[in-house]
Amino acid sequence: MALARMTRLARQAKRPFGLCAKMTAVGILGLCFIFVWSIFSSPSSSVTTQRESFDDIAEPISSSRSIPLPPVNKSNSNQPSTDSESKKALESKQQETHKVNNGSVPVGNKDHQNHHHHQETAKPVKRQRQQHGTSEKVPSSEGVKENGQEGDSATDEDEEEAGEVVDGKEEVGEGERNENGDLVEVENEEEEQDEGSEKVEKRKKQKFKGPVFDPNGHYSWRLCNTRSKFNYIPCIDMETSSGKLQSYRHTERSCPRNSPMCLVPLPHEGYGTPVRWPESKLKVLYKNVAHPKLADFVKRSSWLVQSGEYLAFPQNQTEFKGGVGHYLDFIEEMVPDIEWGKNIRIVLDIGCGDSSFEASLLDKDVLTLVLGLKDDLVDLAQVALERGFPAIVSPFGTRRLPFPSGVFDAIHCFSCGIPWHSNEGKRLLEMNRLLRPGGYFILSSKHDNIEVEEAMTKLTASLCWNILAHKTDEDSDVSVKIYQKPDSNDIYELRRKKNPPICKETENPDAAWYVPIKTCLHTIPLSIEQRGTEWPEDWPKRLETYPEWMSNKERLIADSSHWKAIVDKSYLAGIGIDWSSIRNVMDMKAIHGGFAAALSQSQKNLWVMNVVPVHAPDTLPIVYERGLIGVYHDWCEPFSTYPRSYDLLHADHLFSRLKNRCKQPVTIVVEMDRILRPGGWVIVRDKVEILVPLEGILKSLKWEMRLTYAQDKEGMLCAQKTMWRP
């Protein structure tokens, strides 16, 4: 029976139908083999090299040897789109250099099809709150070209290794897509074991399979509908109603789960062109700083006067009776070692008053950063920014402030209303962290409280602060105490009670982003190779002096020369900005402060806020050592300032550095629109593949393109914000 059946099968196999079935089966098996092989192998053509900086351009971009960026669609609608010509130009440029954008071909908005290219994955982002490394870790000098020019600070690998602060927030989940429709994959991988460690840390890493901005993106805008309205600060203000006006702000920085994609409206009565510096020291437009509580505050204060459409600040009327000049002289008489504008250059002023303290110190070449407290309902920090003084807004409770350790020459508190002795003295411990060794803490008040005095005496003694002077000014009836932080560790060993204790050696004093205040004392640096062992040179020599603890001084000098050439030959002369209207400037990705130094040397009427991203090398201590100011910040979140705070924003390769970090890079552009004043300027230097869609986004916001240049794969964009609101 079996033999007969096999005979029948053999006869059927000889038929044409059996032959076709066999050929079909072979073909299917072949296709399956090709499919499996293509998945587990990468075509050699996809192995590419990306240029990460602007270094290859030997000189600042000039119109005589640059070409415009590929144009975007000039549609009259509010939704921008990159036209076919722009896409073809961009694609041809990429094909010529055999370069894949971010390791992949852009994903369209409709089909989201993944083209088969080699995927260049981003380095994993650590879940734990990793801390900034020591400030000696300056990026290597390989990025400095023969002509002395420095481009982007370091490669991505260098930025990972140089120490970073991670906020610990949840990253993109598996299978999610970001705002631009780019597919995000999340993979689990095991980290290599450290020497002597038995634990293996599992962490997630992201692969962004698309460009920073979607070339085919269409954007429609709406106004933000929040309680704070035209004064909205996303990570400070609550959007939900609590029934009480005084509780509309968070006690700690707390950002929305998704960054806002709405535009902050202008004040109800409109927004006028800000009063230019230095006249803004005496008056500002009242409608530009309108606030529900401000009107009542003006009625109760003699040093704020509403005069027509202006809010005026009479020189003979300040918070300080007898004048702020007399107050500053009184402090110098109490402690002759304090020399404003010489050994005292950088001051932190806690709480906002009438800004007369900042104005008078500025006349003495002292740069004062105002810390506007989150519960200041009068919003005087916004008034300070409108007048042209540096200020940021931050809750001050249980977390560290966004500054490195040991950078402020002096900290000032005049009736700032902070209970320094409460909560185990954590706030005063934070002041101890921020003061440089031998720095001064100036505490002034009009009314002494015996219980508070006793608590402060006990607390400052536990910190080993020396009371240099305590005196009451008869003219102003203000009690002034001046403390000094120790400049050596010997006094710490003499304490009977080791409370607060000395911090562990593994505790990094520079870690500041979403890091709680530590109830311990950091030791004073001892060796000359460590930052903080020597007081900086007097100003202005301090700006161009590089102490021993700064490694790779040649790179710092090259950075200064590089930005001085760009500022002098390009920014000041070739892009059409009226610099007399520029006062408040932000460098959104500062490195060593070279841009700020070059700009402030050429233009004496402005100041620069240097922002060091938390995932970049920790170079902010170098910025302060040079006599400049700055903060740490994560640009995946909104910045801690009021809307319409800055006249000019500068972003050098900011977006190309954030392409593997932020879920929605377009929200950074929305944040730029929030913090920039109408009529303000933005200068962006980056890759052409980023600038082309960025130009489309800015045009959808009705910004005016003033200048666009491209050279090779790099370019520069200069745009001006308008009054337009949807």
Side-chain angles (χ1 to χ4, degrees), residues 224-266:
C224 299
N225 184 19
T226 60
R227 298 184 64 196
S228 304
K229 300 178 182 178
F230 48 85
N231 288 326
Y232 179 43
I233 309 175
C235 295
I236 304 294
D237 298 339
M238 293 182 180
E239 292 189 39
T240 57
S241 176
S242 61
K244 296 181 180 180
L245 180 62
Q246 61 268 26
S247 62
Y248 81 108
R249 285 186 169 171
H250 294 288
T251 55
E252 293 290 354
R253 179 180 173 88
S254 180
C255 296
R257 183 174 182 84
N258 295 316
S259 297
M261 279 293 291
C262 58
L263 306 182
V264 175
L266 296 177

Side-chain angles (χ1 to χ4, degrees), residues 375-648:
D375 53 357
D376 181 13
L377 294 183
V378 182
D379 283 13
L380 293 178
Q382 185 180 28
V383 177
L385 285 163
E386 187 72 16
R387 295 182 67 183
F389 300 120
I392 65 168
V393 182
S394 175
F396 186 25
T398 61
R399 292 176 184 162
R400 288 178 172 178
L401 297 173
F403 310 112
S405 65
V407 293
F408 289 100
D409 306 329
I411 297 177
H412 176 258
C413 169
F414 176 76
S415 298
C416 54
I418 293 181
W420 297 107
H421 60 286
S422 66
N423 195 17
E424 301 181 86
K426 283 187 176 181
R427 294 181 180 89
L428 204 62
L429 278 167
E430 176 65 357
M431 297 297 98
N432 185 78
R433 183 185 75 90
L434 297 181
L435 276 175
R436 67 172 58 256
Y440 304 94
F441 183 77
I442 304 171
L443 182 63
S444 303
S445 61
K446 294 182 179 180
H447 306 286
D448 291 335
N449 184 295
I450 296 178
E451 295 181 359
V452 173
E453 287 285 326
E454 292 178 352
M456 280 294 294
T457 300
K458 183 179 179 180
L459 181 58
T460 54
S462 68
L463 301 180
C464 299
W465 283 9
N466 183 23
I467 301 181
L468 298 180
H470 181 196
K471 191 175 181 180
T472 300
D473 182 25
E474 297 179 356
D475 295 336
S476 61
D477 195 27
V478 172
S479 174
V480 181
K481 283 186 178 180
I482 302 178
Y483 302 89
Q484 187 176 32
K485 178 180 175 178
D487 57 2
S488 69
N489 295 313
D490 296 339
I491 194 171
Y492 291 151
E493 303 299 329
L494 300 176
R495 296 182 301 165
R496 292 183 180 180
K497 296 181 179 180
K498 301 298 188 292
N499 186 30
I502 300 299
C503 298
K504 298 179 181 179
E505 293 183 359
T506 56
E507 174 61 42
N508 186 358
D510 293 333
W513 191 248
Y514 285 98
V515 175
I517 298 175
K518 309 297 182 181
T519 53
C520 61
L521 291 172
H522 292 281
T523 56
I524 307 299
L526 298 177
S527 64
I528 195 173
E529 292 81 12
Q530 292 179 291
R531 177 174 62 87
T533 55
E534 295 183 350
W535 196 275
E537 295 283 348
D538 288 354
W539 183 262
K541 188 178 179 182
R542 175 175 177 172
L543 184 63
E544 297 180 352
T545 301
Y546 306 100
E548 293 297 327
W549 63 266
M550 290 187 184
S551 61
N552 205 341
K553 299 179 184 179
E554 293 78 10
R555 181 175 179 82
L556 301 179
I557 296 174
D559 177 69
S560 298
S561 301
H562 163 65
W563 284 113
K564 182 172 177 55
I566 289 181
V567 168
D568 292 344
K569 298 179 181 179
S570 180
Y571 289 179
L572 297 182
I575 58 179
I577 295 179
D578 180 9
W579 289 95
S580 63
S581 65
I582 304 299
R583 171 63 183 171
N584 303 355
V585 179
M586 175 186 286
D587 190 359
M588 300 178 69
K589 194 180 80 69
I591 304 177
H592 305 122
F595 166 74
L599 197 59
S600 59
Q601 285 178 322
S602 302
Q603 300 292 315
K604 302 296 184 181
N605 62 311
L606 55 78
W607 59 271
V608 180
M609 177 66 74
N610 295 275
V611 180
V612 173
V614 295
H615 289 79
D618 182 16
T619 56
L620 193 53
I622 297 177
V623 172
Y624 275 94
E625 192 74 14
R626 302 182 69 180
L628 306 170
I629 59 173
V631 294
Y632 295 123
H633 184 63
D634 185 351
W635 281 114
C636 299
E637 300 180 1
F639 191 77
S640 294
T641 192
Y642 293 88
R644 307 171 299 278
S645 293
Y646 288 89
D647 303 309
L648 185 142

Side-chain angles (χ1 to χ4, degrees), residues 87-333:
K87 290 191 293 183
K88 290 179 179 178
L90 180 59
E91 291 174 359
S92 63
K93 183 177 291 293
Q94 292 172 336
Q95 292 174 359
E96 289 174 1
T97 58
H98 301 286
K99 176 178 178 179
V100 181
N101 183 18
N102 195 22
S104 67
V105 172
V107 182
N109 272 353
K110 297 181 180 180
D111 54 8
H112 300 295
Q113 294 178 353
N114 294 325
H115 297 260
H116 184 70
H117 284 273
H118 173 66
Q119 300 297 327
E120 181 177 312
T121 60
K123 283 189 172 292
V125 179
K126 291 188 178 179
R127 285 283 181 181
Q128 62 185 8
R129 298 185 191 277
Q130 201 171 6
Q131 300 171 347
H132 264 300
T134 57
S135 55
E136 296 94 317
K137 294 182 180 180
V138 180
S140 65
S141 59
E142 294 178 0
V144 182
K145 299 302 174 184
E146 295 180 357
N147 60 356
Q149 176 181 349
E150 180 194 18
D152 219 0
S153 62
T155 63
D156 290 333
E157 290 78 4
D158 292 337
E159 292 192 2
E160 292 281 347
E161 296 171 358
E164 56 191 33
V165 173
V166 177
D167 57 17
K169 294 187 180 296
E170 291 297 323
E171 304 296 340
V172 183
E174 295 185 16
E176 292 185 6
R177 294 185 184 274
N178 60 21
E179 179 69 15
N180 297 335
D182 298 334
L183 180 64
V184 179
E185 288 185 355
V186 180
E187 296 181 352
N188 293 326
E189 78 165 14
E190 293 185 352
E191 186 182 25
E192 295 182 1
Q193 294 185 6
D194 296 331
E195 293 182 4
S197 174
E198 297 179 358
K199 295 182 179 180
V200 178
E201 179 187 6
K202 289 186 178 182
R203 57 186 180 179
K204 292 182 178 181
K205 70 176 183 178
Q206 301 177 8
K207 292 197 303 183
F208 280 68
K209 294 185 175 181
V212 177
F213 304 116
D214 184 6
N216 300 320
H218 295 266
Y219 302 94
S220 60
W221 305 105
R222 61 178 179 84
L223 293 179
C224 299
N225 184 19
T226 60
R227 298 184 64 196
S228 304
K229 300 178 182 178
F230 48 85
N231 288 326
Y232 179 43
I233 309 175
C235 295
I236 304 294
D237 298 339
M238 293 182 180
E239 292 189 39
T240 57
S241 176
S242 61
K244 296 181 180 180
L245 180 62
Q246 61 268 26
S247 62
Y248 81 108
R249 285 186 169 171
H250 294 288
T251 55
E252 293 290 354
R253 179 180 173 88
S254 180
C255 296
R257 183 174 182 84
N258 295 316
S259 297
M261 279 293 291
C262 58
L263 306 182
V264 175
L266 296 177
H268 294 310
E269 297 183 4
Y271 184 84
T273 303
V275 179
R276 293 192 177 189
W277 183 268
E279 190 179 0
S280 61
K281 289 195 295 184
L282 302 178
K283 65 179 182 180
V284 298
L285 283 174
Y286 184 84
K287 63 182 181 181
N288 287 2
V289 293
H291 187 274
K293 294 283 186 177
L294 185 58
D296 294 336
F297 188 81
V298 170
K299 295 177 181 178
R300 293 183 282 107
S301 303
S302 60
W303 44 269
L304 282 173
V305 178
Q306 186 174 359
S307 176
E309 62 178 345
Y310 296 102
L311 188 63
F313 309 91
Q315 290 182 302
N316 58 346
Q317 294 290 333
T318 68
E319 285 185 298
F320 306 91
K321 294 181 180 179
V324 65
H326 170 75
Y327 175 72
L328 295 177
D329 293 340
F330 181 67
I331 292 174
E332 283 189 313
E333 291 174 3

Side-chain angles (χ1 to χ4, degrees), residues 59-78:
E59 299 177 358
I61 298 177
S62 61
S63 58
S64 60
R65 64 188 198 91
S66 301
I67 60 175
L69 289 175
V72 296
N73 187 20
K74 299 181 180 179
S75 175
N76 293 329
S77 64
N78 293 345

